[in-house]
Amino acid sequence: MLNAVINATPSALIVVDAAGIISHIYITGRPQTSLALFIGKSFTRIIRLIFDTHNSQLIYNTFRSCQTSQQPTAINQLKHNSRRHLTEYFDCDFTPAPEQNVIIFFKNVTEAVLLQEEFFTITEQHDTLNQELCTAMANLDFHLMDLEHAHKKLSALYRITAIVQKTVNEQEVLTEILDGITRELGFTNAAILLLDPESQELVNKAHRGYNDKIRIPLGKGVTGYAALHRELVYVPDVSADERYIPGTTDAFSEVAIPLIVNDQVIGVLDVETSEDRVLKAYDLDLLRSLASQIAMTIDHANHVTQACIQASTDGLTNLYNYRHFQTILAQEFKRAHRYKRPLALLMIDIDYFKHYNDINGHRYGDDALKAVADLVRQYCRDTDFVFRYGGEEFVVLLPETTIAEAHIIAERIRKAIAEYPFQNSNNQPGGALTVSIGIAGYPDDANSETELIDAADAALYSAKRSTRNRSCLYSSDVS
């Protein structure tokens, strides 16, 4: 029962006696033989080695309060900065036991806390969008339309603003917007063209009735003119306008409205109608109002997507971060275990990086970290995952890869980095900036995610203890 509780979540259970001495200890993923050195040690000394002064004092005071009062107590979401400079959160429960013993349960709740913070951020963004919708609806010029057109406008606005509650995928957002325009307003030919900042072309991203491969240079055609001049353009008869670029087979009239966010044109909403559908003044007014909301909806979806990317990416190297590593490792390990497939892990550490920083300064140190990240990514395959583990350490997760195959990749990475012309690398021990790499794999070296990390870490430190600038396979001799 105890193992089931402990293994259900990253946690530790410690029993401390009346004298403050650890009598029992259990930690997720750690064999009891490796924990024996903690038995008989001072609980106060151990927590001071792990936590900073403030947190260790808080834990000690709570432990003594529980011991004295014989009442359960707890510390929720204790913030802890690890030695790898990673922020973690713990729930700590203190329960009195006979003879003034205290049972202390540490549970790692980092992922839950970070997900909660991200949820609050997205909720705030959603509330802002709803406020913008209310403002847009309040400003509608109802007296220019009859009730039928007002109803259509509100229905279309509601459908568009409700999209981001279902998805933030750009293509799905654009498709849903066009569904709203065609279903609620009866247009059969409609398209959303987004501006490519590099080519300065309007690209057809979603449409009903248009050519899929339309690309229109900024300033060309009716849509390009609307984007360049940032104004609605209405052409009652396209055959009489030399700017017209055919988009549909039965076009008679065309209206193009620029999509503008924060004073920047991001694209154009384009509608073409046949001769039997005459556009009225209220149609143009309606499309102008919709374009404003469409632009905000697209921008919001892109913002949420970028926020999700940033939440899983290291800002300096653009590699996946430690948090995303934990997620991907869990997924890939589960898949490897289920289908009996190999999974390899590389743990990479820059040799003498503190020396490099001290000699050259942190700006060159950051440049070196980015260059190492690029080289590691370059010499990995598209199916591999590359992460910044923390500080000057990197991790590569290699699905469907044996230890022998992983060793070949590790050597390619190591040699490429050793030969790279880093700034002032000749001042490093050995005359070059190099890396050491630890290699471990499932199922040969580990039966769990934690064991796989520990095995790769042990292999890395074996490489660091020898010559450095080498890759080392895990074996029981280096554990």
Side-chain angles (χ1 to χ4, degrees):
M1 176 61 76
L2 177 61
N3 287 334
V5 173
I6 295 299
N7 292 329
T9 184
S11 57
L13 189 145
I14 303 173
V15 180
V16 182
D17 65 19
I21 303 300
I22 297 175
S23 60
H24 297 83
I25 183 169
Y26 304 87
I27 299 179
T28 302
R30 297 281 186 175
Q32 283 301 115
T33 53
S34 69
L35 300 176
L37 60 90
F38 291 102
I39 304 300
K41 298 294 191 302
S42 167
F43 173 66
T44 304
R45 182 180 179 188
I46 295 299
I47 62 173
R48 285 176 178 169
L49 290 174
I50 298 173
F51 296 96
D52 61 30
T53 302
H54 172 76
N55 284 341
S56 59
Q57 189 63 46
L58 176 61
I59 294 171
Y60 174 78
N61 290 343
T62 308
F63 159 69
R64 284 303 186 192
S65 174
C66 175
Q67 190 178 52
T68 303
S69 67
Q70 288 296 292
Q71 295 295 321
T73 186
I75 304 173
N76 293 321
Q77 296 184 8
L78 178 72
K79 186 176 181 180
H80 168 62
N81 293 317
S82 71
R83 292 185 178 180
R84 297 186 185 275
H85 307 294
L86 302 173
T87 300
E88 298 177 309
Y89 295 86
F90 294 90
D91 281 352
C92 313
D93 294 316
F94 299 78
T95 305
E99 299 181 2
Q100 286 197 310
N101 287 348
V102 176
I103 301 172
I104 307 171
F105 185 57
F106 291 88
K107 181 170 66 173
N108 191 317
V109 294
T110 304
E111 185 171 356
V113 171
L114 294 178
L115 286 174
Q116 184 183 52
E117 292 176 353
E118 185 174 341
F119 173 77
F120 287 152
T121 299
I122 294 177
T123 300
E124 289 176 358
Q125 293 169 347
H126 178 258
D127 290 342
T128 300
L129 182 60
N130 280 339
Q131 291 175 3
E132 292 170 350
L133 170 60
C134 292
T135 301
M137 292 173 63
N139 292 332
L140 290 178
D141 200 355
F142 287 111
H143 68 275
L144 295 178
M145 303 181 189
D146 59 24
L147 289 176
E148 180 183 357
H149 293 110
H151 174 72
K152 288 182 178 180
K153 188 171 186 176
L154 288 172
S155 297
L157 279 171
Y158 176 79
R159 182 180 180 89
I160 290 168
T161 54
I163 290 170
V164 292
Q165 299 181 34
K166 298 190 296 182
T167 180
V168 294
N169 178 275
E170 181 184 88
Q171 194 57 50
E172 292 180 8
V173 167
L174 298 179
T175 299
E176 288 285 343
I177 288 172
L178 287 181
D179 284 344
I181 292 174
T182 54
R183 181 178 305 175
E184 306 296 341
L185 306 179
F187 294 116
T188 55
N189 299 323
I192 295 177
L193 300 93
L194 298 184
L195 182 63
D196 183 336
E198 295 185 1
S199 67
Q200 289 293 288
E201 292 179 311
L202 292 167
V203 183
N204 187 0
K205 291 293 187 177
H207 72 93
R208 296 290 183 272
Y210 284 66
N211 184 336
D212 284 331
K213 300 180 180 180
I214 291 178
R215 297 182 71 95
I216 301 175
L218 191 64
K220 300 295 183 181
V222 177
T223 53
Y225 185 93
L228 181 63
H229 294 274
R230 306 162 63 90
E231 63 183 36
L232 181 148
V233 178
Y234 172 49
V235 180
D237 184 355
V238 295
S239 64
D241 194 313
E242 62 182 12
R243 296 173 299 180
Y244 177 68
I245 298 174
T248 64
T249 57
D250 60 346
F252 182 76
S253 300
E254 181 180 12
V255 58
I257 312 98
L259 305 175
I260 302 174
V261 176
N262 296 327
D263 205 37
Q264 296 292 321
V265 175
I266 65 170
V268 173
L269 169 64
D270 192 65
V271 173
E272 294 187 5
T273 62
S274 59
E275 191 170 1
D276 34 340
R277 170 68 188 271
V278 180
L279 291 173
K280 303 293 185 181
Y282 54 72
D283 289 315
L284 302 182
D285 177 69
L286 171 58
L287 290 170
R288 183 183 286 107
S289 296
L290 288 176
S292 175
Q293 193 60 49
I294 289 169
M296 287 191 291
T297 302
I298 294 172
D299 181 66
H300 179 77
N302 290 336
H303 177 74
V304 174
T305 300
Q306 287 301 315
C308 292
I309 293 173
Q310 291 172 3
S312 62
T313 304
D314 173 62
L316 177 65
T317 62
N318 289 325
L319 297 179
Y320 291 129
N321 59 21
Y322 175 80
R323 178 187 171 200
H324 198 57
F325 165 66
Q326 297 286 5
T327 301
I328 297 299
L329 175 61
Q331 293 174 356
E332 291 300 321
F333 195 93
K334 184 181 295 182
R335 189 179 68 84
H337 179 71
R338 179 184 300 159
Y339 298 107
K340 309 300 181 185
R341 304 300 301 164
L343 177 66
L345 183 71
L346 307 182
M347 186 78 75
I348 304 171
D349 185 82
I350 302 177
D351 297 324
Y352 303 108
F353 188 66
K354 183 180 184 302
H355 178 272
Y356 187 84
N357 263 339
D358 291 343
I359 296 296
N360 300 288
H362 288 282
R363 184 169 67 85
Y364 283 116
D366 287 346
D367 290 342
L369 286 170
K370 289 187 281 190
V372 169
D374 290 340
L375 289 168
V376 174
R377 189 162 36 202
Q378 177 183 342
Y379 284 90
C380 288
R381 305 160 301 184
D382 292 340
T383 54
D384 300 331
F385 300 93
V386 184
F387 309 86
R388 185 180 181 189
Y389 195 71
E392 65 270 25
E393 284 192 305
F394 302 85
V395 168
V396 181
L397 192 61
L398 305 103
E400 300 287 337
T401 306
T402 64
I403 295 174
E405 293 167 338
H407 193 196
I408 294 172
I409 295 172
E411 278 297 289
R412 289 175 184 165
I413 294 171
R414 183 191 63 78
K415 291 176 182 178
I417 293 172
E419 295 169 0
Y420 187 83
F422 293 96
Q423 183 75 25
N424 298 329
S425 59
N426 57 303
N427 293 325
Q428 286 292 97
L433 186 67
T434 61
V435 297
S436 298
I437 304 176
I439 307 165
Y442 169 83
D444 298 311
D445 304 324
N447 292 313
S448 70
E449 302 158 32
T450 303
E451 288 181 3
L452 184 60
I453 296 173
D454 289 345
D457 201 41
L460 169 63
Y461 279 97
S462 177
K464 301 286 280 188
R465 285 194 300 267
S466 58
T467 62
R468 306 201 184 198
N469 186 24
R470 61 170 295 198
S471 58
C472 180
L473 297 172
Y474 173 78
S475 71
S476 57
D477 296 333
V478 303
S479 60

